[in-house]
Amino acid sequence: MLSCVVVGLSARPIGGELNQPLQGDVDRGNQTFTRVGCYQCHGREAQGASTGPRLGPGPIPLASFTRAVRTPRADMPPYTVKVLSDAELADIYAFVAARPRPRMPQW
Amino acid sequence: MNRRHFLKNTAGALAGGAALTGHVSAQPPPQPADADALTTERSGADCMVDVLKQIGLEYICANPGSSFRGLHEAIVNYGGNSKPELITCLHEESSVAMAHGFAKIDGKPIGVMAHGTVGLQHAAMAVYNAYCDRVPVYIIVGNTLDATERRPGVEWAHSVQDASSLVRDFSKWDDTPVSLEHFAESAVRAYQLAMTPPMGPVLLVADSELQERPLGADFKLRIPRLALTAPPQGDTAAIVEVARMLVAAETPVIVADRAARTPAGLASLVQLAETLQAAVVDQGGRLNLPSRHPLNQSAQSRAVISSADVVLGLELTDFWGTVHTYRDQLHRSSQSLLKSGAKTIAISTRDLGVKANYQEFQRYPELDLMVSGDAEASLPSLVDAVKTLVTAGRRRVFDERGKKLAAASRAAYDRSRADAAYAWDASPVTTARLSVEVWNAIKGEDWSLVSSLNPISGWPMRLWDFDRQYQFIGGSGGSGIGYTAPASAGAALANRPHGRLTVTIQPDGDLMYAPGILWTAAHHHIPLLSVMHNNRAYHQELMHLQRMANRHNRGIDRAHIGTTIERPNIDYAKLAQSMGVYAEGPIENPADLAPALRRAIAVVKRGEPALVDVVTQPR
């Protein structure tokens, strides 16, 4: 499993004031994902639940991901830059992107 | 006047002038010469037991209390502790919730006894759940109304003028009989009312004087005949109109919540859906449609409702919420899901039992057609009315529609299986993996799942094959936590004579309200498999806290304070073992789950409860 994923592959900045794509750290992302409560609704492995959709592997593009977190379209609580930095969000993105693809279990 | 001696000695005439003088002596009363004056062979409570036997209460769940000691003793001795048999509960909330779960499997109420004061106070939340869930529960509370008869001290603290007033806002009916004849009549009436849709909990106050009143050996109580009320059906003309709208519709959707009260309700809904080849959304108040029926579109409820031209709601808790989205943000907002011109119809008994104070009746739904009547009772005539209106042309349209719906439901099932595979090997165990492992362990048995599915993201309904009414009984009704463990025990008690394997997915927070139910299950040999969904939190509240923290831009990492059940972790296996229940866990590695379930099921099949503690993902 990758421990470090480069996110924001487009040249566009992802956070308000940042010009460079952020380097997300998977392990740090995992910790942040738990610490700030993403796991509550999306599952500890971002696998999704009735309370929030699956986020990874294969997450939506970072710009949409960021928009969904900052200004949620429906019921998700908003995480503003005041409480969750772009760098922390990049870590989270790296974490969800690095979730393993499942093999279809036999049952 | 000491009424406790009134009937025994005389069956009419007054016993001894002393009782009339009102003289109070500081001396202890002289020892009566006649030992007979201290005992009686027959009491008012014996007659009450005759009444309970006649109406057919099979069990009485109770935590013992002095205000109903007379009745308790009469059940055990005079009644032979059989029909009703006493079930020892360690909390009155457990007593009522057990009766709640029992009635949903068996279709008939069982009894509960409690103190009219402290016992009913304990029981109140469970009464509310049963009320919201439209389930009959037969509650008898003890009380001592006559102030001059009360023992000093505790009996005063345990006496009340109007015991039922505590729960009158959320029970169906109650009475405070002042004679045994009155008790008999009200007991029969209470049973009848509890069983008339919309069903609900009822209360009778058994005054201690009536219970303990000595009776002559020849005293006979007349017990009125019990006749159950045929459930109310929707108005004939209205039902025909409903049929006309459904047959004319291009994309009708039937939404059902507490529609199927019995297997007949399930069969009727299948018939209606198949005749129309209409989409069905089962909201899961009961099992209304087999989970893998090709017309079952519950997995894509929002999509089918938003493309419907007619929505028929059957015994919905919340029609408004069914056809709206709701956004819980700083400024709350909502939007209709319905496309313009869509028509809405309800068949329901909801408004027949509505009360004002507690607001479980939900928002006003602005329907096009509201039919007051029990959905299950109204379905056969609706099916007939639909059949007479279907032409060959409409049948071809229906068949095409049915094929598309069948393909959609197959696709939804495949999607669910694929979704369940994510984080398959994760620890804590995912709720999908938990559901699959339990399914694998029980699918060869005659099983019954008796817990709500919300805490585990509804996985069983998406993955298992439910096709019998007793295989699922919905949730608590009022979302009063502490329901699942006792209601599951009650449901398992009702399933016991049928030899069914009763399974509950037991949330940790819920169990800790009154874990003594585990002892009750062990003591009474109630075969129940409890599989813990141990997410170590009041998780719903944790998410609410997170929402508030985010909304206020502060402390987004502190939502666990006051909402999680960690440090120390509770060892549920030890807890269960301490009460005589076979238990394993905590299981953190999903690979350990299947063998643990096999061992636990072997215990349950021997007629005893078992518990497997599984540390799980939040939802």
Side-chain angles (χ1 to χ4, degrees), chain B residues 547-590:
Chain B
R547 187 175 294 284
M548 290 301 105
N550 286 33
R551 190 172 289 180
H552 302 142
N553 274 320
R554 63 189 180 200
I556 57 165
D557 52 1
R558 290 161 67 82
H560 61 280
I561 298 177
T563 53
T564 53
I565 317 174
E566 297 170 322
R567 286 169 287 130
N569 294 329
I570 296 172
D571 188 332
Y572 293 98
K574 280 203 183 121
L575 176 76
Q577 286 157 1
S578 78
M579 290 187 258
V581 173
Y582 175 89
E584 295 194 30
I587 287 175
E588 298 190 345
N589 178 355

mmCIF file of all heavy atoms in Angstrom, chain B residues 547-590:
data_model
loop_
_atom_site.group_PDB
_atom_site.id
_atom_site.type_symbol
_atom_site.label_atom_id
_atom_site.label_comp_id
_atom_site.label_asym_id
_atom_site.label_seq_id
_atom_site.Cartn_x
_atom_site.Cartn_y
_atom_site.Cartn_z
ATOM 1 N N ARG B 547 -21.968 17.196 14.414
ATOM 2 C CA ARG B 547 -22.692 18.188 13.614
ATOM 3 C C ARG B 547 -22.672 19.550 14.308
ATOM 4 O O ARG B 547 -22.437 20.586 13.693
ATOM 5 C CB ARG B 547 -24.131 17.682 13.417
ATOM 6 C CG ARG B 547 -25.005 18.476 12.496
ATOM 7 C CD ARG B 547 -26.362 17.794 12.297
ATOM 8 N NE ARG B 547 -26.267 16.526 11.600
ATOM 9 C CZ ARG B 547 -26.072 16.398 10.285
ATOM 10 N NH1 ARG B 547 -25.984 17.468 9.531
ATOM 11 N NH2 ARG B 547 -25.986 15.200 9.733
ATOM 12 N N MET B 548 -22.921 19.548 15.622
ATOM 13 C CA MET B 548 -22.939 20.813 16.369
ATOM 14 C C MET B 548 -21.544 21.448 16.390
ATOM 15 O O MET B 548 -21.399 22.654 16.221
ATOM 16 C CB MET B 548 -23.430 20.575 17.806
ATOM 17 C CG MET B 548 -24.893 20.217 17.919
ATOM 18 S SD MET B 548 -25.986 21.481 17.230
ATOM 19 C CE MET B 548 -26.488 20.699 15.698
ATOM 20 N N ALA B 549 -20.520 20.612 16.612
ATOM 21 C CA ALA B 549 -19.150 21.141 16.671
ATOM 22 C C ALA B 549 -18.778 21.767 15.335
ATOM 23 O O ALA B 549 -18.244 22.892 15.284
ATOM 24 C CB ALA B 549 -18.182 20.021 17.048
ATOM 25 N N ASN B 550 -19.094 21.067 14.256
ATOM 26 C CA ASN B 550 -18.768 21.601 12.930
ATOM 27 C C ASN B 550 -19.524 22.908 12.683
ATOM 28 O O ASN B 550 -18.977 23.874 12.168
ATOM 29 C CB ASN B 550 -19.170 20.597 11.841
ATOM 30 C CG ASN B 550 -18.230 19.416 11.779
ATOM 31 O OD1 ASN B 550 -17.704 18.993 12.801
ATOM 32 N ND2 ASN B 550 -18.024 18.869 10.598
ATOM 33 N N ARG B 551 -20.776 22.902 13.069
ATOM 34 C CA ARG B 551 -21.616 24.074 12.824
ATOM 35 C C ARG B 551 -21.040 25.290 13.532
ATOM 36 O O ARG B 551 -21.170 26.411 13.072
ATOM 37 C CB ARG B 551 -23.046 23.773 13.309
ATOM 38 C CG ARG B 551 -24.064 24.788 12.899
ATOM 39 C CD ARG B 551 -25.461 24.314 13.248
ATOM 40 N NE ARG B 551 -25.914 23.206 12.402
ATOM 41 C CZ ARG B 551 -27.108 22.631 12.526
ATOM 42 N NH1 ARG B 551 -27.962 23.046 13.441
ATOM 43 N NH2 ARG B 551 -27.457 21.637 11.721
ATOM 44 N N HIS B 552 -20.408 25.056 14.677
ATOM 45 C CA HIS B 552 -19.898 26.176 15.466
ATOM 46 C C HIS B 552 -18.402 26.391 15.264
ATOM 47 O O HIS B 552 -17.788 27.174 15.993
ATOM 48 C CB HIS B 552 -20.238 25.953 16.946
ATOM 49 C CG HIS B 552 -21.707 25.803 17.161
ATOM 50 N ND1 HIS B 552 -22.267 24.925 18.054
ATOM 51 C CD2 HIS B 552 -22.758 26.410 16.539
ATOM 52 C CE1 HIS B 552 -23.589 25.000 17.979
ATOM 53 N NE2 HIS B 552 -23.901 25.891 17.077
ATOM 54 N N ASN B 553 -17.835 25.654 14.271
ATOM 55 C CA ASN B 553 -16.419 25.846 13.935
ATOM 56 C C ASN B 553 -15.503 25.698 15.129
ATOM 57 O O ASN B 553 -14.599 26.524 15.349
ATOM 58 C CB ASN B 553 -16.212 27.241 13.326
ATOM 59 C CG ASN B 553 -16.477 27.225 11.834
ATOM 60 O OD1 ASN B 553 -16.104 26.265 11.143
ATOM 61 N ND2 ASN B 553 -17.121 28.255 11.347
ATOM 62 N N ARG B 554 -15.722 24.693 15.944
ATOM 63 C CA ARG B 554 -14.838 24.505 17.094
ATOM 64 C C ARG B 554 -14.869 23.052 17.560
ATOM 65 O O ARG B 554 -15.881 22.362 17.391
ATOM 66 C CB ARG B 554 -15.258 25.415 18.252
ATOM 67 C CG ARG B 554 -16.648 25.089 18.762
ATOM 68 C CD ARG B 554 -17.155 26.118 19.753
ATOM 69 N NE ARG B 554 -18.494 25.736 20.210
ATOM 70 C CZ ARG B 554 -19.349 26.574 20.750
ATOM 71 N NH1 ARG B 554 -19.034 27.839 20.911
ATOM 72 N NH2 ARG B 554 -20.543 26.149 21.148
ATOM 73 N N GLY B 555 -13.761 22.636 18.099
ATOM 74 C CA GLY B 555 -13.705 21.356 18.805
ATOM 75 C C GLY B 555 -14.207 20.176 18.005
ATOM 76 O O GLY B 555 -14.869 19.293 18.554
ATOM 77 N N ILE B 556 -13.853 20.104 16.723
ATOM 78 C CA ILE B 556 -14.384 19.001 15.909
ATOM 79 C C ILE B 556 -13.791 17.653 16.311
ATOM 80 O O ILE B 556 -14.239 16.619 15.831
ATOM 81 C CB ILE B 556 -14.167 19.233 14.396
ATOM 82 C CG1 ILE B 556 -12.678 19.430 14.084
ATOM 83 C CG2 ILE B 556 -14.999 20.396 13.899
ATOM 84 C CD1 ILE B 556 -12.357 19.294 12.617
ATOM 85 N N ASP B 557 -12.787 17.681 17.198
ATOM 86 C CA ASP B 557 -12.215 16.403 17.659
ATOM 87 C C ASP B 557 -12.689 16.060 19.078
ATOM 88 O O ASP B 557 -12.099 15.237 19.761
ATOM 89 C CB ASP B 557 -10.684 16.443 17.597
ATOM 90 C CG ASP B 557 -10.113 17.668 18.318
ATOM 91 O OD1 ASP B 557 -10.910 18.470 18.882
ATOM 92 O OD2 ASP B 557 -8.884 17.824 18.326
ATOM 93 N N ARG B 558 -13.764 16.679 19.539
ATOM 94 C CA ARG B 558 -14.219 16.449 20.919
ATOM 95 C C ARG B 558 -15.634 15.862 21.002
ATOM 96 O O ARG B 558 -16.217 15.792 22.083
ATOM 97 C CB ARG B 558 -14.169 17.774 21.699
ATOM 98 C CG ARG B 558 -12.740 18.250 21.962
ATOM 99 C CD ARG B 558 -12.718 19.746 22.299
ATOM 100 N NE ARG B 558 -13.372 20.037 23.559
ATOM 101 C CZ ARG B 558 -12.812 19.924 24.763
ATOM 102 N NH1 ARG B 558 -11.564 19.508 24.870
ATOM 103 N NH2 ARG B 558 -13.479 20.223 25.848
ATOM 104 N N ALA B 559 -16.151 15.427 19.866
ATOM 105 C CA ALA B 559 -17.535 14.925 19.861
ATOM 106 C C ALA B 559 -17.693 13.633 20.664
ATOM 107 O O ALA B 559 -18.810 13.266 21.048
ATOM 108 C CB ALA B 559 -18.015 14.705 18.425
ATOM 109 N N HIS B 560 -16.563 12.990 20.947
ATOM 110 C CA HIS B 560 -16.649 11.725 21.700
ATOM 111 C C HIS B 560 -16.976 11.952 23.178
ATOM 112 O O HIS B 560 -17.379 11.025 23.872
ATOM 113 C CB HIS B 560 -15.317 10.971 21.595
ATOM 114 C CG HIS B 560 -14.171 11.741 22.164
ATOM 115 N ND1 HIS B 560 -13.532 12.752 21.462
ATOM 116 C CD2 HIS B 560 -13.569 11.694 23.369
ATOM 117 C CE1 HIS B 560 -12.588 13.280 22.228
ATOM 118 N NE2 HIS B 560 -12.586 12.660 23.391
ATOM 119 N N ILE B 561 -16.815 13.201 23.650
ATOM 120 C CA ILE B 561 -17.030 13.434 25.082
ATOM 121 C C ILE B 561 -18.525 13.311 25.401
ATOM 122 O O ILE B 561 -19.356 14.047 24.889
ATOM 123 C CB ILE B 561 -16.494 14.824 25.494
ATOM 124 C CG1 ILE B 561 -14.984 14.884 25.254
ATOM 125 C CG2 ILE B 561 -16.829 15.114 26.961
ATOM 126 C CD1 ILE B 561 -14.344 16.239 25.550
ATOM 127 N N GLY B 562 -18.833 12.370 26.242
ATOM 128 C CA GLY B 562 -20.231 12.175 26.641
ATOM 129 C C GLY B 562 -21.035 11.316 25.684
ATOM 130 O O GLY B 562 -22.241 11.136 25.879
ATOM 131 N N THR B 563 -20.382 10.794 24.633
ATOM 132 C CA THR B 563 -21.148 10.001 23.667
ATOM 133 C C THR B 563 -20.569 8.603 23.444
ATOM 134 O O THR B 563 -21.269 7.735 22.916
ATOM 135 C CB THR B 563 -21.192 10.701 22.288
ATOM 136 O OG1 THR B 563 -19.846 11.005 21.900
ATOM 137 C CG2 THR B 563 -22.014 11.967 22.326
ATOM 138 N N THR B 564 -19.309 8.412 23.812
ATOM 139 C CA THR B 564 -18.712 7.094 23.564
ATOM 140 C C THR B 564 -18.715 6.259 24.845
ATOM 141 O O THR B 564 -18.837 6.787 25.953
ATOM 142 C CB THR B 564 -17.270 7.219 23.020
ATOM 143 O OG1 THR B 564 -16.527 8.052 23.890
ATOM 144 C CG2 THR B 564 -17.264 7.806 21.623
ATOM 145 N N ILE B 565 -18.597 4.945 24.670
ATOM 146 C CA ILE B 565 -18.602 4.025 25.815
ATOM 147 C C ILE B 565 -17.270 3.274 25.777
ATOM 148 O O ILE B 565 -17.201 2.090 25.462
ATOM 149 C CB ILE B 565 -19.812 3.062 25.742
ATOM 150 C CG1 ILE B 565 -21.096 3.809 25.340
ATOM 151 C CG2 ILE B 565 -20.022 2.357 27.089
ATOM 152 C CD1 ILE B 565 -22.301 2.900 25.115
ATOM 153 N N GLU B 566 -16.215 4.003 26.072
ATOM 154 C CA GLU B 566 -14.855 3.472 26.024
ATOM 155 C C GLU B 566 -14.134 3.856 27.315
ATOM 156 O O GLU B 566 -14.608 4.694 28.061
ATOM 157 C CB GLU B 566 -14.072 4.114 24.862
ATOM 158 C CG GLU B 566 -14.641 3.823 23.499
ATOM 159 C CD GLU B 566 -13.991 4.667 22.406
ATOM 160 O OE1 GLU B 566 -13.707 5.862 22.669
ATOM 161 O OE2 GLU B 566 -13.780 4.161 21.319
ATOM 162 N N ARG B 567 -12.912 3.237 27.465
ATOM 163 C CA ARG B 567 -12.056 3.586 28.618
ATOM 164 C C ARG B 567 -12.841 3.559 29.927
ATOM 165 O O ARG B 567 -13.176 4.612 30.433
ATOM 166 C CB ARG B 567 -11.377 4.949 28.404
ATOM 167 C CG ARG B 567 -10.263 4.871 27.393
ATOM 168 C CD ARG B 567 -9.765 6.247 26.975
ATOM 169 N NE ARG B 567 -10.733 6.908 26.103
ATOM 170 C CZ ARG B 567 -11.179 8.154 26.295
ATOM 171 N NH1 ARG B 567 -10.763 8.878 27.287
ATOM 172 N NH2 ARG B 567 -12.037 8.678 25.455
ATOM 173 N N PRO B 568 -13.197 2.488 30.509
ATOM 174 C CA PRO B 568 -12.865 1.156 29.999
ATOM 175 C C PRO B 568 -13.897 0.675 28.985
ATOM 176 O O PRO B 568 -15.050 1.126 28.998
ATOM 177 C CB PRO B 568 -12.949 0.297 31.263
ATOM 178 C CG PRO B 568 -14.002 0.969 32.094
ATOM 179 C CD PRO B 568 -13.838 2.440 31.840
ATOM 180 N N ASN B 569 -13.474 -0.251 28.136
ATOM 181 C CA ASN B 569 -14.430 -0.937 27.263
ATOM 182 C C ASN B 569 -15.237 -1.908 28.117
ATOM 183 O O ASN B 569 -14.701 -2.510 29.048
ATOM 184 C CB ASN B 569 -13.695 -1.722 26.180
ATOM 185 C CG ASN B 569 -12.954 -0.792 25.233
ATOM 186 O OD1 ASN B 569 -13.400 0.334 24.999
ATOM 187 N ND2 ASN B 569 -11.824 -1.250 24.711
ATOM 188 N N ILE B 570 -16.486 -2.058 27.767
ATOM 189 C CA ILE B 570 -17.319 -3.014 28.512
ATOM 190 C C ILE B 570 -17.119 -4.400 27.910
ATOM 191 O O ILE B 570 -17.130 -4.565 26.688
ATOM 192 C CB ILE B 570 -18.797 -2.597 28.452
ATOM 193 C CG1 ILE B 570 -18.984 -1.244 29.148
ATOM 194 C CG2 ILE B 570 -19.688 -3.664 29.110
ATOM 195 C CD1 ILE B 570 -20.359 -0.639 28.996
ATOM 196 N N ASP B 571 -16.925 -5.379 28.774
ATOM 197 C CA ASP B 571 -16.753 -6.754 28.309
ATOM 198 C C ASP B 571 -18.123 -7.447 28.346
ATOM 199 O O ASP B 571 -18.560 -7.935 29.387
ATOM 200 C CB ASP B 571 -15.743 -7.470 29.220
ATOM 201 C CG ASP B 571 -15.369 -8.835 28.683
ATOM 202 O OD1 ASP B 571 -16.211 -9.444 27.983
ATOM 203 O OD2 ASP B 571 -14.245 -9.299 28.972
ATOM 204 N N TYR B 572 -18.787 -7.463 27.212
ATOM 205 C CA TYR B 572 -20.164 -7.974 27.168
ATOM 206 C C TYR B 572 -20.238 -9.483 27.360
ATOM 207 O O TYR B 572 -21.246 -9.998 27.857
ATOM 208 C CB TYR B 572 -20.858 -7.542 25.872
ATOM 209 C CG TYR B 572 -21.063 -6.052 25.859
ATOM 210 C CD1 TYR B 572 -20.173 -5.216 25.177
ATOM 211 C CD2 TYR B 572 -22.087 -5.466 26.585
ATOM 212 C CE1 TYR B 572 -20.318 -3.839 25.209
ATOM 213 C CE2 TYR B 572 -22.245 -4.093 26.629
ATOM 214 C CZ TYR B 572 -21.360 -3.282 25.943
ATOM 215 O OH TYR B 572 -21.505 -1.921 25.997
ATOM 216 N N ALA B 573 -19.169 -10.171 26.964
ATOM 217 C CA ALA B 573 -19.175 -11.626 27.172
ATOM 218 C C ALA B 573 -19.170 -11.922 28.671
ATOM 219 O O ALA B 573 -19.945 -12.740 29.164
ATOM 220 C CB ALA B 573 -17.988 -12.268 26.472
ATOM 221 N N LYS B 574 -18.310 -11.210 29.394
ATOM 222 C CA LYS B 574 -18.258 -11.419 30.852
ATOM 223 C C LYS B 574 -19.577 -11.014 31.501
ATOM 224 O O LYS B 574 -20.061 -11.668 32.424
ATOM 225 C CB LYS B 574 -17.125 -10.595 31.461
ATOM 226 C CG LYS B 574 -15.763 -11.235 31.313
ATOM 227 C CD LYS B 574 -14.817 -10.696 32.388
ATOM 228 C CE LYS B 574 -13.437 -11.277 32.210
ATOM 229 N NZ LYS B 574 -12.420 -10.238 32.008
ATOM 230 N N LEU B 575 -20.124 -9.903 31.025
ATOM 231 C CA LEU B 575 -21.403 -9.433 31.570
ATOM 232 C C LEU B 575 -22.462 -10.530 31.411
ATOM 233 O O LEU B 575 -23.186 -10.867 32.355
ATOM 234 C CB LEU B 575 -21.844 -8.171 30.821
ATOM 235 C CG LEU B 575 -23.204 -7.585 31.188
ATOM 236 C CD1 LEU B 575 -23.140 -6.846 32.511
ATOM 237 C CD2 LEU B 575 -23.696 -6.623 30.095
ATOM 238 N N ALA B 576 -22.530 -11.100 30.218
ATOM 239 C CA ALA B 576 -23.530 -12.133 29.953
ATOM 240 C C ALA B 576 -23.235 -13.386 30.774
ATOM 241 O O ALA B 576 -24.148 -13.977 31.373
ATOM 242 C CB ALA B 576 -23.554 -12.456 28.458
ATOM 243 N N GLN B 577 -21.961 -13.759 30.797
ATOM 244 C CA GLN B 577 -21.594 -14.968 31.556
ATOM 245 C C GLN B 577 -21.966 -14.825 33.025
ATOM 246 O O GLN B 577 -22.418 -15.776 33.666
ATOM 247 C CB GLN B 577 -20.087 -15.235 31.421
ATOM 248 C CG GLN B 577 -19.695 -15.778 30.051
ATOM 249 C CD GLN B 577 -18.220 -15.522 29.722
ATOM 250 O OE1 GLN B 577 -17.485 -14.946 30.536
ATOM 251 N NE2 GLN B 577 -17.802 -15.936 28.533
ATOM 252 N N SER B 578 -21.809 -13.614 33.553
ATOM 253 C CA SER B 578 -22.106 -13.410 34.975
ATOM 254 C C SER B 578 -23.574 -13.663 35.277
ATOM 255 O O SER B 578 -23.953 -13.866 36.424
ATOM 256 C CB SER B 578 -21.724 -11.987 35.399
ATOM 257 O OG SER B 578 -22.714 -11.068 34.968
ATOM 258 N N MET B 579 -24.401 -13.624 34.229
ATOM 259 C CA MET B 579 -25.837 -13.847 34.435
ATOM 260 C C MET B 579 -26.272 -15.203 33.896
ATOM 261 O O MET B 579 -27.462 -15.441 33.672
ATOM 262 C CB MET B 579 -26.616 -12.705 33.795
ATOM 263 C CG MET B 579 -26.413 -11.416 34.584
ATOM 264 S SD MET B 579 -27.447 -10.076 34.027
ATOM 265 C CE MET B 579 -26.280 -9.134 33.081
ATOM 266 N N GLY B 580 -25.309 -16.064 33.650
ATOM 267 C CA GLY B 580 -25.656 -17.425 33.253
ATOM 268 C C GLY B 580 -25.902 -17.613 31.777
ATOM 269 O O GLY B 580 -26.476 -18.618 31.359
ATOM 270 N N VAL B 581 -25.455 -16.648 30.970
ATOM 271 C CA VAL B 581 -25.660 -16.755 29.518
ATOM 272 C C VAL B 581 -24.344 -17.193 28.869
ATOM 273 O O VAL B 581 -23.288 -16.621 29.150
ATOM 274 C CB VAL B 581 -26.110 -15.396 28.930
ATOM 275 C CG1 VAL B 581 -26.161 -15.437 27.412
ATOM 276 C CG2 VAL B 581 -27.474 -15.004 29.494
ATOM 277 N N TYR B 582 -24.393 -18.175 27.981
ATOM 278 C CA TYR B 582 -23.213 -18.577 27.219
ATOM 279 C C TYR B 582 -22.774 -17.376 26.386
ATOM 280 O O TYR B 582 -23.589 -16.756 25.700
ATOM 281 C CB TYR B 582 -23.543 -19.753 26.291
ATOM 282 C CG TYR B 582 -22.377 -20.119 25.412
ATOM 283 C CD1 TYR B 582 -21.431 -21.042 25.848
ATOM 284 C CD2 TYR B 582 -22.200 -19.513 24.169
ATOM 285 C CE1 TYR B 582 -20.326 -21.355 25.051
ATOM 286 C CE2 TYR B 582 -21.109 -19.819 23.375
ATOM 287 C CZ TYR B 582 -20.176 -20.734 23.815
ATOM 288 O OH TYR B 582 -19.086 -21.032 23.034
ATOM 289 N N ALA B 583 -21.485 -17.069 26.417
ATOM 290 C CA ALA B 583 -21.038 -15.889 25.669
ATOM 291 C C ALA B 583 -19.595 -16.019 25.231
ATOM 292 O O ALA B 583 -18.786 -16.673 25.891
ATOM 293 C CB ALA B 583 -21.218 -14.635 26.517
ATOM 294 N N GLU B 584 -19.296 -15.369 24.107
ATOM 295 C CA GLU B 584 -17.931 -15.296 23.574
ATOM 296 C C GLU B 584 -17.635 -13.864 23.159
ATOM 297 O O GLU B 584 -18.528 -13.100 22.850
ATOM 298 C CB GLU B 584 -17.783 -16.187 22.345
ATOM 299 C CG GLU B 584 -17.947 -17.656 22.635
ATOM 300 C CD GLU B 584 -17.466 -18.520 21.461
ATOM 301 O OE1 GLU B 584 -16.542 -18.091 20.721
ATOM 302 O OE2 GLU B 584 -18.008 -19.618 21.306
ATOM 303 N N GLY B 585 -16.343 -13.546 23.093
ATOM 304 C CA GLY B 585 -15.921 -12.236 22.602
ATOM 305 C C GLY B 585 -15.088 -11.522 23.632
ATOM 306 O O GLY B 585 -14.795 -12.093 24.682
ATOM 307 N N PRO B 586 -14.674 -10.307 23.371
ATOM 308 C CA PRO B 586 -14.991 -9.518 22.184
ATOM 309 C C PRO B 586 -14.248 -10.010 20.941
ATOM 310 O O PRO B 586 -13.055 -10.287 21.022
ATOM 311 C CB PRO B 586 -14.511 -8.106 22.561
ATOM 312 C CG PRO B 586 -13.464 -8.313 23.605
ATOM 313 C CD PRO B 586 -13.834 -9.564 24.331
ATOM 314 N N ILE B 587 -14.964 -10.104 19.838
ATOM 315 C CA ILE B 587 -14.353 -10.534 18.578
ATOM 316 C C ILE B 587 -13.978 -9.289 17.774
ATOM 317 O O ILE B 587 -14.828 -8.436 17.506
ATOM 318 C CB ILE B 587 -15.338 -11.432 17.798
ATOM 319 C CG1 ILE B 587 -15.412 -12.781 18.512
ATOM 320 C CG2 ILE B 587 -14.898 -11.589 16.348
ATOM 321 C CD1 ILE B 587 -16.420 -13.725 17.947
ATOM 322 N N GLU B 588 -12.712 -9.207 17.446
ATOM 323 C CA GLU B 588 -12.237 -8.059 16.659
ATOM 324 C C GLU B 588 -11.835 -8.480 15.263
ATOM 325 O O GLU B 588 -11.887 -7.678 14.327
ATOM 326 C CB GLU B 588 -11.071 -7.384 17.386
ATOM 327 C CG GLU B 588 -11.538 -6.859 18.742
ATOM 328 C CD GLU B 588 -10.542 -5.976 19.450
ATOM 329 O OE1 GLU B 588 -9.366 -5.977 19.054
ATOM 330 O OE2 GLU B 588 -10.963 -5.297 20.409
ATOM 331 N N ASN B 589 -11.409 -9.737 15.128
ATOM 332 C CA ASN B 589 -10.996 -10.239 13.820
ATOM 333 C C ASN B 589 -12.207 -10.919 13.159
ATOM 334 O O ASN B 589 -12.754 -11.885 13.686
ATOM 335 C CB ASN B 589 -9.864 -11.260 14.030
ATOM 336 C CG ASN B 589 -9.409 -11.869 12.716
ATOM 337 O OD1 ASN B 589 -9.993 -11.614 11.662
ATOM 338 N ND2 ASN B 589 -8.361 -12.686 12.796
ATOM 339 N N PRO B 590 -12.635 -10.399 12.008
ATOM 340 C CA PRO B 590 -13.857 -10.945 11.399
ATOM 341 C C PRO B 590 -13.769 -12.441 11.099
ATOM 342 O O PRO B 590 -14.802 -13.121 11.053
ATOM 343 C CB PRO B 590 -14.027 -10.126 10.116
ATOM 344 C CG PRO B 590 -12.737 -9.414 9.902
ATOM 345 C CD PRO B 590 -12.071 -9.279 11.233
#
